[in-house]
Amino acid sequence: MHNFRMLPFRRLLLIWVTGDDESWTMDRLRRLEGASVPDYACIQSGGSALYISSDKDFQIVYDSMKPIEEFPLENEQDLKQPCYTWHQTDESLFLQFTIPAKTTKEDLNVEITNAKFHCGIKNGEVLLSGDLWASIQPEGSTWSIIGQSLDFSLVKAAKAERWKELVPGDDRGEMTVDAETAACIHERLAHLTSATLDPKPVADESHMYNVQELEECDEMPDTTPVLVRFDGELHKVTHQAGLGSHKWLFNADVNGMHCLCFRHDVDGLLWRPDVNKDESNVFEHIATFNALGYVQASKQQLKFASCSPDGTVAVLCDCVRHLYIYWQSVTVETALRNRKSGENVTQVAKQQVVSLDTADVTVGFQVTNEWIFVLTAGTLFVLKLHDA
């Protein structure tokens, strides 16, 4: 089986098809496009929504029954260019506007007082007008045109007063930091940074941080995967959850529902979608596999993983030969004691390792409540989980 995550590609298309089970006809077709292979994809019962877990975002690009509408970005205002920029020193304010080409001083209407500022193009738009944040000295203020740049220099009436806004209520401009102020800020924060990795090493080595002590299961992914719910009618995401350190472990079919297992701390938590159709909680936790996340991260040759539909056993499958079976804890009938603590042990979780009599690469794998099916290039192995 190919590892599609290793293949180079620029986009991936998911085909979302709904139809009539009895006549096998296609009623509706939707296409989704993304830049990564999803770990999990499941259609909500009834076909009204789609769940996707992936490293990169997906979007619906086609719907056979409803045109796709372009939704504006939530931060669209952040992408707009400011109408003007300004910065300040302890004594002055500096403004810069971009004006049409070939604009002269005769084309401008400028009025500057100690408390008001007005600048506009005659018979055109007003660049900025209103009461200033604080008082200035109009006699010391100047302005000039250089190309398409209109520059103002205003002298503060109160020295060393830091202005929070230029004209209160006007959010079309952007305040920048001049080189002198930036250098002063960097100087004040210099004690918090260093050009060396560890400028003041800890004398006590027992408290030092050593990256060599980290294991593979402690590594963080380069990208942050997300789990989203796409509404088929609205063509947009209605629910989204950042997974962060909750690494995807495997998918499994449980009673006709396509479930997914995430790592939480060292455990594996199995989640089932769309049980009660509660819009505020679209997934339900149905099983926990103790320490499975830690164990799976240690398997260098792991190729498949799954669990039984009843959640009593989780199985890991290597690329070649080996299976690792992890049973849920069960109550023991005989008296057992922990050798170190001396406490009574009431529950035991068994683990089994199966070595297949083949050197062929495993290409298929499935777990049911009673059987484990392993398909290699030349043989189909069937293992019975429970004794008769």
Side-chain angles (χ1 to χ4, degrees):
M1 178 177 290
H2 292 290
N3 185 356
F4 292 101
R5 287 184 170 274
M6 302 300 294
L7 297 178
F9 61 90
R10 298 183 61 184
R11 65 174 186 172
L12 178 73
L13 289 177
L14 293 181
I15 308 300
W16 180 359
V17 179
T18 58
D20 189 346
D21 293 338
E22 297 181 357
S23 59
W24 292 93
T25 59
M26 183 179 69
D27 295 335
R28 191 169 187 174
L29 173 65
R30 304 180 185 92
R31 295 193 187 99
L32 293 91
E33 182 178 313
S36 68
V37 177
D39 295 318
Y40 172 83
C42 176
I43 298 178
Q44 179 177 304
S45 59
S48 60
L50 175 69
Y51 304 102
I52 297 179
S53 173
S54 63
D55 295 336
K56 302 292 181 64
D57 293 336
F58 277 76
Q59 62 178 350
I60 298 179
V61 297
Y62 173 77
D63 189 337
S64 61
M65 294 183 62
K66 186 176 181 181
I68 303 298
E69 297 181 5
E70 295 291 338
F71 294 98
L73 298 175
E74 294 182 359
N75 59 346
E76 187 175 0
Q77 293 183 352
D78 298 337
L79 302 177
K80 295 181 180 179
Q81 295 295 327
C83 295
Y84 61 91
T85 60
W86 67 283
H87 65 273
Q88 61 181 311
T89 62
D90 289 341
E91 297 180 352
S92 303
L93 300 160
F94 301 92
L95 293 77
Q96 186 177 64
F97 298 89
T98 299
I99 57 179
K102 299 181 179 181
T103 301
T104 64
K105 292 185 177 181
E106 289 72 19
D107 299 326
L108 299 176
N109 183 10
V110 178
E111 297 180 11
I112 302 176
T113 66
N114 62 337
K116 293 179 180 284
F117 180 91
H118 175 83
C119 177
I121 301 175
K122 294 180 179 179
N123 301 322
E125 65 174 321
V126 176
L127 301 179
L128 181 63
S129 181
D131 296 332
L132 294 171
W133 173 267
S135 299
I136 62 172
Q137 298 178 8
E139 63 276 5
S141 302
T142 61
W143 59 279
S144 62
I145 298 177
I146 302 177
Q148 291 186 250
S149 177
L150 173 60
D151 301 323
F152 285 84
S153 175
L154 309 179
V155 179
K156 294 181 180 179
K159 308 301 180 183
E161 182 181 12
R162 305 301 295 180
W163 289 31
K164 296 182 180 181
E165 292 179 281
L166 191 62
V167 174
D170 189 287
D171 57 356
R172 299 173 302 138
E174 179 182 2
M175 184 178 69
T176 60
V177 180
D178 63 287
E180 181 182 350
T181 304
C184 181
I185 295 174
H186 292 163
E187 183 179 355
R188 293 178 181 177
L189 299 179
H191 67 285
L192 301 177
T193 61
S194 173
T196 59
L197 182 62
D198 191 4
K200 296 181 179 180
V202 182
D204 186 4
E205 295 185 357
S206 63
H207 294 85
M208 295 182 63
Y209 176 76
N210 187 359
V211 295
Q212 296 181 350
E213 296 178 357
L214 297 177
E215 300 184 17
E216 183 181 352
C217 57
D218 299 314
E219 296 180 356
M220 292 293 293
D222 296 333
T223 56
T224 301
V226 293
L227 175 63
V228 299
R229 177 186 181 271
F230 276 99
D231 188 287
E233 295 296 329
L234 300 177
H235 296 159
K236 64 179 182 179
V237 174
T238 58
H239 298 72
Q240 178 172 314
L243 301 180
S245 60
H246 302 293
K247 183 180 178 181
W248 170 83
L249 299 180
F250 61 83
N251 301 328
D253 291 326
V254 177
N255 298 327
M257 297 298 299
H258 196 50
C259 304
L260 72 165
C261 185
F262 288 123
R263 175 176 175 173
H264 183 79
D265 197 7
V266 298
D267 302 326
L269 271 61
L270 189 65
W271 298 87
R272 178 173 57 190
D274 194 37
V275 178
N276 299 317
K277 297 183 180 180
D278 183 2
E279 292 296 329
S280 62
N281 186 17
V282 295
F283 277 84
E284 179 188 21
H285 171 234
I286 58 174
T288 298
F289 301 102
N290 296 325
L292 184 64
Y294 184 84
V295 171
Q296 180 165 335
S298 67
K299 303 301 180 185
Q300 300 294 327
Q301 302 298 321
L302 182 68
K303 189 168 186 179
F304 297 107
S306 187
C307 68
S308 60
D310 58 9
T312 59
V313 61
V315 185
L316 308 181
C317 180
D318 277 349
C319 295
V320 178
R321 195 184 299 275
H322 292 115
L323 295 175
Y324 307 92
I325 305 174
Y326 300 92
W327 295 87
Q328 294 281 27
S329 300
V330 295
T331 303
V332 294
E333 298 178 356
T334 59
L336 295 177
R337 288 183 177 273
N338 187 298
R339 293 182 179 180
K340 294 183 178 180
S341 64
E343 297 180 354
N344 291 329
V345 177
T346 59
Q347 291 189 330
V348 173
K350 295 181 179 180
Q351 302 177 12
Q352 296 172 315
V353 179
V354 178
S355 181
L356 302 177
D357 187 17
T358 182
D360 294 336
V361 176
T362 303
V363 296
F365 174 76
Q366 184 66 37
V367 181
T368 68
N369 291 334
E370 298 292 334
W371 308 91
I372 301 176
F373 300 90
V374 181
L375 178 64
T376 67
T379 310
L380 174 62
F381 292 89
V382 181
L383 292 80
K384 188 174 179 59
L385 284 173
H386 302 279
D387 295 334

